[in-house]
Amino acid sequence: MKNLTASYNRLHRNSRGTLWMLASAASFTVMTMLIKFLGDDYSAPLQTFYRNAAGLIVMIPLIARNPRQTFRTSRPGLLLFRATAGTVAMILGFYAYQKMPLADANALSFTRTLWLVPLAAFVLKEPIGPRRIAATMIGFFGALLMLQPSSTSGFGLPAAAALLSALLIALTVTGMKVMTRDHTTMTLMAWSAVLGFVLTIPGALLAWRTPSWSDLALLSLLGILGLVNQACYIKGMAEGDAMVMAPIDYTRLIFAIVLGYALFREVPNGVTMLGAGVIIASTLYITWREAQLGQPKPEAQRAES
């Protein structure tokens, strides 16, 4: 173990970040595989309930250290809105992964970056230049390409659920940017864990099915993988440069294609993959442009973005 730790520490920080990002992509893909595998017996609201229950169990010891300080807030309404949006986004996302090929649902999930551009302009009042507007429009054209029928399933409602889920996730990210101005990360996570769990109870009760011990183990693993995915993603972004790490997240599309074919015999068609490529290219450009604008530069050059 010491030799392994020493070897890890000798790696360049971007190499360390890459390992964490690959672990994040792999754990996310396995999680979506479980969502699809269990989808015939456990609805999206019920799976979301188990996912949030696992997250709350992990958070309880951290919250118990100082619950009064952790839950202190001056804007409970905004926290409730963010938790509601996040919960609905998870249910819609789980539904999309159950009903669509894994690769297609993964690719549409990347549109969250595209949704962030108009939200940043209208909610956060951030200046958005013509380049990012053009990249966003091209990205949504890629999403429209993906609305063509796949070789293994039609789109329709599942694709709409995937796009709406991405929009709601973008809303939660935008809300987080607003809330971090006067709330700690721990406070945001605690409120999300508690409210997310409570909000999933009604849907879970309506679709309740008592799981077998084997299914309970898989549902628990689903929740654990969700937490592992988040932890690995955050660690990867912390270790490496964001511009280097961001493209690595798209490897989950490759993992999804491999797992989708191996386990469910899913074969995305050419138009679907073209649309996915357009989405990925546009979101990569937006990410790169954000990094460029984060560097000091003359105002004239900034205005061109």
Side-chain angles (χ1 to χ4, degrees):
M1 180 62 72
K2 289 183 178 180
N3 291 336
L4 188 61
T5 302
S7 298
Y8 172 81
N9 290 332
R10 284 195 295 268
L11 293 174
H12 186 274
R13 63 189 186 87
N14 280 338
S15 297
R16 296 196 299 268
T18 296
L19 293 176
W20 287 107
M21 292 299 291
L22 287 173
S24 170
S27 60
F28 184 89
T29 308
V30 175
M31 181 185 72
T32 59
M33 179 270 292
L34 285 175
I35 292 171
K36 192 174 187 70
F37 178 75
L38 293 166
D40 290 338
D41 297 319
Y42 301 93
S43 67
L46 190 52
Q47 288 188 6
T48 304
F49 169 80
Y50 282 106
R51 163 67 179 82
N52 286 350
L56 180 59
I57 290 171
V58 172
M59 288 293 298
I60 284 175
L62 301 175
I63 295 173
R65 294 177 181 177
N66 192 345
R68 179 174 297 181
Q69 180 65 31
T70 298
F71 287 108
R72 181 175 296 172
T73 179
S74 58
R75 290 189 278 186
L78 190 53
L79 285 167
L80 177 60
F81 170 80
R82 182 173 176 270
T84 302
T87 300
V88 175
M90 191 177 298
I91 293 173
L92 292 173
F94 278 27
Y95 172 76
Y97 283 112
Q98 288 177 358
K99 303 300 182 181
M100 295 175 64
L102 289 180
D104 299 347
N106 265 281
L108 286 174
S109 74
F110 295 135
T111 59
R112 65 182 183 272
T113 302
L114 305 177
W115 288 115
L116 282 171
V117 174
L119 287 175
F122 292 108
V123 179
L124 301 178
K125 307 301 181 183
E126 294 180 0
I128 304 297
R131 296 183 187 180
R132 279 182 287 174
I133 293 174
T136 302
M137 294 177 66
I138 292 171
F140 280 117
F141 173 73
L144 290 177
L145 285 177
M146 289 198 65
L147 295 179
Q148 301 298 317
S150 171
S151 61
T152 55
S153 72
F155 274 111
L157 188 58
L163 289 172
L164 183 54
S165 174
L167 169 59
L168 291 173
I169 289 174
L171 269 174
T172 64
V173 172
T174 305
M176 183 176 64
K177 287 185 177 182
V178 174
M179 298 297 289
T180 50
R181 296 169 183 171
D182 52 9
H183 289 74
T184 66
T185 301
M186 182 61 191
T187 295
L188 297 179
M189 290 177 63
W191 276 95
S192 293
V194 173
L195 290 176
F197 173 74
V198 172
L199 290 169
T200 58
I201 291 176
L205 291 176
L206 290 174
W208 186 259
R209 173 177 175 170
T210 303
S212 64
W213 287 111
S214 59
D215 284 353
L216 181 60
L218 291 177
L219 288 166
S220 300
L221 179 60
L222 177 66
I224 293 170
L225 285 171
L227 296 173
V228 169
N229 163 248
Q230 292 181 28
C232 289
Y233 186 89
I234 293 171
K235 182 67 174 178
M237 284 295 186
E239 285 277 12
D241 296 324
M243 269 307 300
V244 179
M245 297 300 104
I248 300 171
D249 188 41
Y250 295 104
T251 57
R252 61 184 169 96
L253 182 58
I254 299 173
F255 294 148
I257 292 173
V258 173
L259 272 182
Y261 178 76
L263 299 177
F264 307 108
R265 292 296 182 264
E266 297 171 348
V267 183
N269 62 26
V271 175
T272 296
M273 288 297 95
L274 176 61
V278 172
I279 292 172
I280 290 173
S282 60
T283 54
L284 282 176
Y285 177 81
I286 291 170
T287 303
W288 172 81
R289 197 62 190 158
E290 290 290 340
Q292 291 294 107
L293 292 176
Q295 300 174 2
K297 59 180 64 180
E299 284 300 317
Q301 185 176 353
R302 181 181 294 271
E304 295 177 0
S305 66

